[in-house]
Amino acid sequence: MADQKSKLIQLISNMEEEPAVSLAKEMLDSGYNPLTLLAHCREAMEIVGKRYEKGEYFLPELMLAGEMLSAIGNMAKPLINTGEGPGQGKTAGTVLMGTVHGDLHDIGKNIVTFMLDINGFSVVDIGIDVPVDTFIDNIKEHNPQVIALSGFLTLAFDSMKETVEAIEAAGLRQGRKIMIGGGQVDESIRLHTGADAFGLNAMDAVNLCKGWLPA
Amino acid sequence: MTMEPKRTDAASGKSPATLYAEREQRIFDAIALKTPDRLPTILFSHFWVGHYSGMTCRQTMYDYAGLKAAMIKAVRDLEPDSYYPGQNMMAFGPTMDILDYRQLEWPGSRGLADDVPFQYLDREYMTAKEYDEYLLDPTGFMLHRYLPRVANGFKAMELLPQYPSVLHTRILMSVQAYANPAVREMFQTLIRAGEEMQKMLASADEMVVELNEMGFPLGNHATSHAPFDVASDYLRGSKGAMLDMFRHKDKLAAILERITQIIPANAIATADRNKGKYIFFPLHWGLDGFMSPVQFKTYYWPPLRQVMMTMIEQGYIPQVLWEGDCTSRLEVIKDLPPGKAVYMFERTDMKKAKQILGDTVCIRGNVPVSVLITGSVQDTKDAVKKLFNDCGDGGGFILDGGVGIPDEAKHENVIAMFETAKELTY
């Protein structure tokens, strides 16, 4: 068992997709606990995240890691008894994530979502071109500690500003942090939007959240 | 706040022909890594030009006469040494409507507001299983598979004969496809789209002639691509191309080699049609953080360099927009013959770019978008002067915004940017 565990973690973290997925299938077929298997995957993802942080891995590796996690998750989840969830143990905090209105870009948002997820945050991803009211409704529904506004286009600066202002006007700002990210943001844009912080990449987002929500 | 442009060149009393020659020389000198008389500038803008004349993004995409007037107003007010024609970056609305184009969302189309720029839809336009089909016959793949996915107006291309396999009397039999009602309708649609595009291009050509006569040289004659971006943006989708580095690395390498051979032709033909040498390369996936240095040196740089060299060897001048921050790529991308290309940088450290590329490639950029959108006139002047100090030394530098002038830039800041450059003499 321990051999299988370390082998699986090694295969996933070394980007060996086919052997990793085959081994996971073999383990599940022979009755391996699906929740334990998903915990191994999470351990592998932590290694992937660290390698990304150190500049050894880049977006292609994160994409492939996400594919492996999804393939193994799809095999394991039907085997999990009701009441047990693969998301158990996520206690680091909730992040509401969306690309602001007018902007249809999603790659940056997806990568940040993935990195936050593997770092133990519960991420509610509400998609692209998200109207201000949808952010407000989701804050009320999910009560996130962090709100992440993504945008690639320069038009997103004003959409972010409007979203931040609306959150404030709705009385939902207090006790939460707002971060912005995307291709062209910097400190001037942070000031323009009224957000608490900005990030240039997925690790910035993870570090901001870790700073705000210490484990 | 409004700020009236000073138009100091026009006030100099020099003839348009003299001003044209001076401007053209300024850009030539910068590219050849020589010292021009003053800091050269280029007006490269998408929707800002329309905004400057009170047009929405949608109007800019649909109103040819309005865009032409807006371009002329912006160029006359700012007096750049060169400019990009806005038409071939924006005025596609009517043609896209006729073709029922599917690769972009644009203002007024499927749900985007009128004053939002068009956006490319990053999707899988070629599946992983279709690599072999493309590699065997790229033209056949483009006709039968790709074009019908890009626009519904091309849908009936699927019904056209499989030409490489049709020969002798079978050629005669195959023409029955052209009588198919769907094919007839498609050709009628394509003729209408073609006529519309000719109207648009005629308007652009008229503008270029008028601006020439006013003393302003055209600064862009065609657009091309990095082969990896073709594979990523236009064929496999960004996710597909990234995964293919692991799942289909041999096929990805093979298709990049094929694209490298194929891709220069259209840009060269377009540049020739426009009687110029400047070929623009907007790059998307080569920046720091997206792929590893090894992946960059394997998949991105060698095919891109080969495409650029094909053009350089025939006398064309690549203008390569390195989006994002490419500081870590500088040593690699230095590998070009000196004085034959322009590198435009968005967030790359310009001081380092000058240090590393100063004797090889003219650099261009990069007044930050945040300054142009949220800063003051003084902030803008300071940013221009800082750039001149950081990388203007000895020439080889052209002033521009990070990715040109951002759509939402304050008018007075853009005016200040160009006026400040005119004061910065060597």
Side-chain angles (χ1 to χ4, degrees):
Chain A
M1 296 265 285
D3 276 359
Q4 280 185 314
K5 175 189 169 183
S6 58
K7 179 82 179 158
L8 182 67
I9 291 172
Q10 192 185 18
L11 288 172
I12 295 173
S13 56
N14 288 344
M15 301 292 124
E16 297 193 49
E17 184 186 20
E18 275 184 28
V21 176
S22 302
L23 177 59
K25 184 172 187 310
E26 200 180 295
M27 288 163 79
L28 290 169
D29 286 350
S30 60
Y32 205 94
N33 183 314
L35 275 178
T36 311
L37 186 108
L38 288 177
H40 302 338
C41 291
R42 194 156 291 280
E43 224 176 293
M45 290 302 145
E46 280 170 23
I47 298 172
V48 172
K50 288 206 173 77
R51 289 181 184 171
Y52 176 72
E53 196 172 356
K54 281 197 272 183
E56 292 168 17
Y57 280 175
F58 291 81
L59 294 199
E61 286 81 9
L62 294 189
M63 288 274 180
L64 189 66
E67 289 284 296
M68 287 189 271
L69 189 61
S70 157
I72 297 172
N74 288 341
M75 292 190 294
K77 281 173 191 165
L79 305 173
I80 297 169
N81 294 328
T82 323
E84 300 175 301
Q88 279 178 344
K90 279 187 183 176
T91 55
T94 302
V95 181
L96 179 69
M97 162 71 73
T99 302
V100 293
H101 67 86
D103 198 325
L104 308 178
H105 291 85
D106 65 356
I107 287 190
K109 171 184 71 62
N110 294 346
I111 294 291
V112 172
T113 298
F114 177 74
M115 285 302 293
L116 287 171
D117 183 67
I118 67 175
N119 277 278
F121 294 93
S122 173
V123 186
V124 180
D125 180 349
I126 53 174
I128 56 171
D129 192 14
V130 178
V132 171
D133 290 347
T134 308
F135 271 103
I136 301 292
D137 293 345
N138 278 278
I139 294 169
K140 289 178 183 164
E141 186 182 341
H142 299 286
N143 193 26
Q145 290 97 330
V146 178
I147 300 152
L149 307 180
S150 172
F152 175 73
L153 301 171
T154 48
L155 75 81
F157 303 161
D158 281 340
S159 301
M160 288 169 174
K161 184 175 159 68
E162 286 167 29
T163 309
V164 173
E165 285 170 355
I167 293 168
E168 259 176 24
L172 295 168
R173 175 93 189 242
Q174 209 175 354
R176 302 178 214 282
K177 295 289 185 184
I178 303 177
M179 61 183 184
I180 59 169
Q184 312 193 55
V185 299
D186 62 11
E187 177 58 18
S188 320
I189 300 306
R190 183 196 70 76
L191 279 171
H192 175 74
T193 60
D196 294 299
F198 74 96
L200 294 177
N201 57 51
M203 280 325 299
D204 286 353
V206 170
N207 291 330
L208 284 169
C209 289
K210 282 184 173 171
W212 288 328
L213 302 168
Chain B
M1 177 180 165
T2 54
M3 178 169 164
E4 282 305 310
K6 289 183 192 148
R7 295 189 182 176
T8 46
D9 284 354
S12 70
K14 292 176 183 171
S15 72
T18 301
L19 288 168
Y20 184 102
E22 286 182 1
R23 288 174 179 136
E24 192 175 52
Q25 193 60 44
R26 228 165 257 143
I27 298 291
F28 284 164
D29 284 346
I31 295 171
L33 308 173
K34 294 178 187 164
T35 312
D37 59 342
R38 73 181 191 210
L39 174 57
T41 56
I42 282 194
L43 174 61
F44 169 46
S45 146
H46 282 83
F47 291 100
W48 182 83
V49 163
H51 286 157
Y52 184 60
S53 281
M55 296 169 76
T56 63
C57 293
R58 182 171 170 85
Q59 286 168 331
T60 306
M61 292 186 73
Y62 280 83
D63 176 359
Y64 306 147
L67 175 58
K68 180 183 156 197
M71 278 294 306
I72 290 173
K73 174 177 165 50
V75 171
R76 292 186 69 199
D77 282 358
L78 301 172
E79 300 184 319
D81 295 309
S82 193
Y83 68 93
Y84 278 42
Q87 286 85 351
N88 64 10
M89 295 186 285
M90 293 175 293
F92 302 127
T95 305
M96 290 197 294
D97 283 340
I98 295 169
L99 289 174
D100 193 8
Y101 191 72
R102 315 305 288 183
Q103 272 186 317
L104 292 179
E105 295 278 4
W106 66 96
S109 74
R110 304 175 284 273
L112 277 193
D114 276 0
D115 205 20
V116 169
F118 63 78
Q119 294 171 58
Y120 183 73
L121 298 176
D122 176 17
R123 291 183 181 155
E124 188 179 72
Y125 294 97
M126 181 187 93
T127 68
K129 286 182 182 161
E130 289 171 333
Y131 265 113
D132 290 338
E133 201 175 329
Y134 184 99
L135 288 165
L136 179 68
D137 175 15
T139 306
F141 177 82
M142 292 296 281
L143 285 176
H144 293 106
R145 303 260 187 254
Y146 189 77
L147 290 177
R149 291 170 190 169
V150 165
N152 282 334
F154 289 120
K155 189 93 179 65
M157 288 282 183
E158 293 167 345
L159 304 172
L160 294 188
Q162 299 283 343
Y163 273 120
S165 63
V166 179
L167 296 156
H168 193 42
T169 53
R170 269 69 66 196
I171 290 175
L172 303 175
M173 285 148 70
S174 74
V175 297
Q176 61 79 26
Y178 297 98
N180 182 309
V183 174
R184 288 173 196 238
E185 193 187 326
M186 175 183 73
F187 280 119
Q188 289 305 319
T189 301
L190 294 183
I191 289 166
R192 277 194 294 127
E195 287 170 348
E196 186 61 43
M197 188 47 68
Q198 285 187 340
K199 266 192 241 169
M200 190 280 261
L201 291 171
S203 173
D205 288 346
E206 283 168 22
M207 179 197 76
V208 170
V209 169
E210 286 177 39
L211 283 171
N212 270 356
E213 287 167 358
M214 292 176 201
F216 297 100
L218 181 62
N220 169 244
H221 304 99
T223 298
S224 193
H225 313 277
F228 184 86
D229 290 341
V230 176
S232 178
D233 287 328
Y234 306 123
L235 296 174
R236 296 284 295 121
S238 60
K239 184 178 172 185
M242 282 193 240
L243 292 174
D244 290 349
M245 290 183 190
F246 304 96
R247 291 175 174 170
H248 306 287
K249 55 175 75 167
D250 292 343
K251 287 188 177 167
L252 179 60
I255 209 170
L256 289 175
E257 196 180 331
R258 201 82 175 93
I259 293 167
T260 302
Q261 295 164 328
I262 291 168
I263 208 70
N266 181 58
I268 287 174
T270 308
D272 289 349
R273 173 194 174 275
N274 290 323
K275 303 181 183 64
K277 299 291 183 192
Y278 295 123
I279 299 178
F280 174 52
F281 285 68
L283 304 185
H284 296 148
W285 296 102
L287 66 163
D288 293 355
F290 271 27
M291 59 172 80
S292 73
V294 171
Q295 288 159 346
F296 183 77
K297 281 190 252 183
T298 306
Y299 297 109
Y300 205 90
W301 173 243
L304 169 60
R305 183 181 183 281
Q306 184 56 53
V307 171
M308 289 166 65
M309 287 307 299
T310 301
M311 293 170 177
I312 288 171
E313 282 160 7
Q314 295 179 58
Y316 300 92
I317 301 167
Q319 304 164 314
V320 185
L321 170 56
W322 293 93
E323 279 193 9
D325 187 342
C326 295
T327 308
S328 80
R329 314 293 196 206
L330 292 171
E331 292 286 358
V332 178
I333 64 178
K334 183 181 165 68
D335 181 22
L336 279 186
K340 301 292 184 192
V342 180
Y343 281 173
M344 308 150 67
F345 291 116
E346 183 187 355
R347 295 184 78 135
T348 296
D349 182 330
M350 292 298 267
K351 231 176 179 171
K352 273 198 184 153
K354 180 70 175 181
Q355 279 165 10
I356 295 171
L357 302 171
D359 58 356
T360 313
V361 189
C362 170
I363 59 176
R364 179 173 142 191
N366 64 357
V367 181
V369 294
S370 58
V371 170
L372 289 169
I373 294 176
T374 66
S376 64
V377 164
Q378 192 56 48
D379 293 337
T380 308
K381 288 180 178 174
D382 292 345
V384 171
K385 286 176 188 165
K386 181 176 185 314
L387 278 167
F388 188 62
N389 289 333
D390 284 351
C391 50
D393 190 32
F397 172 55
I398 297 169
L399 184 74
D400 193 356
V403 185
I405 305 301
D407 300 338
E408 300 80 9
K410 290 179 188 169
H411 300 175
E412 63 270 23
N413 288 0
V414 181
I415 291 168
M417 171 180 151
F418 283 85
E419 284 186 355
T420 306
K422 282 187 253 176
E423 293 160 9
L424 295 172
T425 53
Y426 281 96

